[in-house]
Amino acid sequence: MKALYYTGNKKFEVQEADTVPLQPGEVRLKVAYCGVCGTDVHIYHGNMDQRVRIPQVIGHEVSAEIAELGAGVTGWQIGDRVAVRPLQPGAEHASDYGQNHIGKNLKFIGIDTSGGMQQYWNVPAHTLHRLPESLSLEIGALIEPLAVACHDVRLGELQAGESVVVIGGGPIGMLIALVAKHKGARVLVSEVNSSRIALAETLGLTAVNPLEKDLTEAVEEFTQGAMADLVFEVSGVQAGVTAMTQLPRARGRIVMVAIHAQPKSVDLFRFFWREIKLIGARVYEPQDFEEAIALAASDELPLDALITEVSPLEKAQEVFKTIDSNPAGMKYLLACQ
């Protein structure tokens, strides 16, 4: 089979590889599509070389069909169409309190172990979620990032009619905005890229460029002075962290979605002064995948508009270069067969 290996120094190579023998409880997937995630781009940049085992196949935003069942696997059949929830919880630590999706011994499949950018991929059967026949496998590859958005919105305790600000209009930010809008929120997206602003507006979202208009003033106008009930920080930059504490109403909520690998300056006084709540949100739980699949199958979200390009595995090196040079793009999919 063909597999795409990250070999370090911003290099990917398509190589011939043997299929790995199935372990009990595993299934072999015939991978249809694998989306390129922001984490994959971090790997490409060498920022996670201490974590991945070079050379390694990466990728975790996968749609696939089951090709083979390992010993002990029940409830699945060859040919079933699936999305993968790429978490291997490991042994529970006393501090996990049952939250094994963020447990201390969690392994993220496709980062800590071999990923989905290959023609055939072995995964534990417990990671699978069934895709309806009506859902294309291209959209199926968006289920994992859509589940992130569903998880973030759920933890933010969004209520219909609330005002929401999403700081950062990349793929996850746009999906959060769409999920929030679908749930009845009024949504404002803050984004500096003009192409992404235009896309947001075509998707029925209100968008503002904070480099051109003061974001606090924009939120005041958007909410008629009431300010935001809920703010999502998805930008991952200091400007977003600085802005997020200025936008909520009294007792408003902020959901921290972006990964801030280095400490950032935060205006803690605002949390005291306005009794703001800060909520961390990481990955997803099974119910978020099920919600994402139901939303995608309902055809009520314009997910097709978020797919920028579909390319074969052999073009992966070019895809990663394009992502680096084209920040306006959204979701890039690799066709693995």
Side-chain angles (χ1 to χ4, degrees), residues 54-65:
I54 301 171
Q56 182 177 310
V57 179
I58 65 170
H60 56 270
E61 298 181 355
V62 165
S63 63
E65 295 180 355

Side-chain angles (χ1 to χ4, degrees), residues 79 111 120-121 125 135 146 165 170 178 182 211 217 258 287 300 307:
I111 300 174
Y120 292 90
W121 186 32
L135 193 67
L146 181 56
V165 177
L178 289 173
H182 181 266
L211 301 180
E217 292 181 5
Q287 68 193 83
E300 294 178 7
I307 298 176

Side-chain angles (χ1 to χ4, degrees), residues 195-328:
S195 295
R196 286 180 170 177
I197 289 172
L199 175 61
E201 291 173 344
T202 65
L203 298 178
L205 301 165
T206 302
V208 62
N209 186 337
L211 301 180
E212 298 176 354
K213 182 177 180 62
D214 182 83
L215 183 56
T216 302
E217 292 181 5
V219 174
E220 287 178 344
E221 293 175 7
F222 183 69
T223 62
Q224 296 182 321
M227 304 306 290
D229 299 289
L230 182 56
V231 176
F232 294 90
E233 172 12 46
V234 203
S235 71
V237 299
Q238 179 62 62
V241 174
T242 300
M244 72 181 188
T245 58
Q246 305 300 313
L247 307 179
R249 60 164 171 82
R251 290 193 173 178
R253 292 103 63 204
I254 300 171
V255 179
M256 179 53 65
V257 179
I259 299 172
H260 292 270
Q262 299 300 321
K264 297 290 196 304
S265 176
V266 181
D267 186 356
L268 294 177
F269 179 80
R270 295 286 299 177
F271 288 92
F272 157 77
W273 197 248
R274 299 288 277 172
E275 295 189 351
I276 297 169
K277 180 185 292 186
L278 178 63
I279 304 157
R282 180 186 173 198
V283 293
Y284 25 61
E285 297 171 82
Q287 68 193 83
D288 303 309
F289 259 74
E290 291 303 312
E291 181 181 4
I293 291 168
L295 274 176
S298 74
D299 206 27
E300 294 178 7
L301 299 184
L303 298 177
D304 282 324
L306 301 185
I307 298 176
T308 303
E309 184 178 294
V310 180
S311 303
L313 278 180
E314 289 82 359
K315 298 289 187 180
Q317 186 73 53
E318 297 173 26
V319 169
F320 277 84
K321 288 181 179 178
T322 298
I323 292 171
D324 258 2
S325 62
N326 179 25

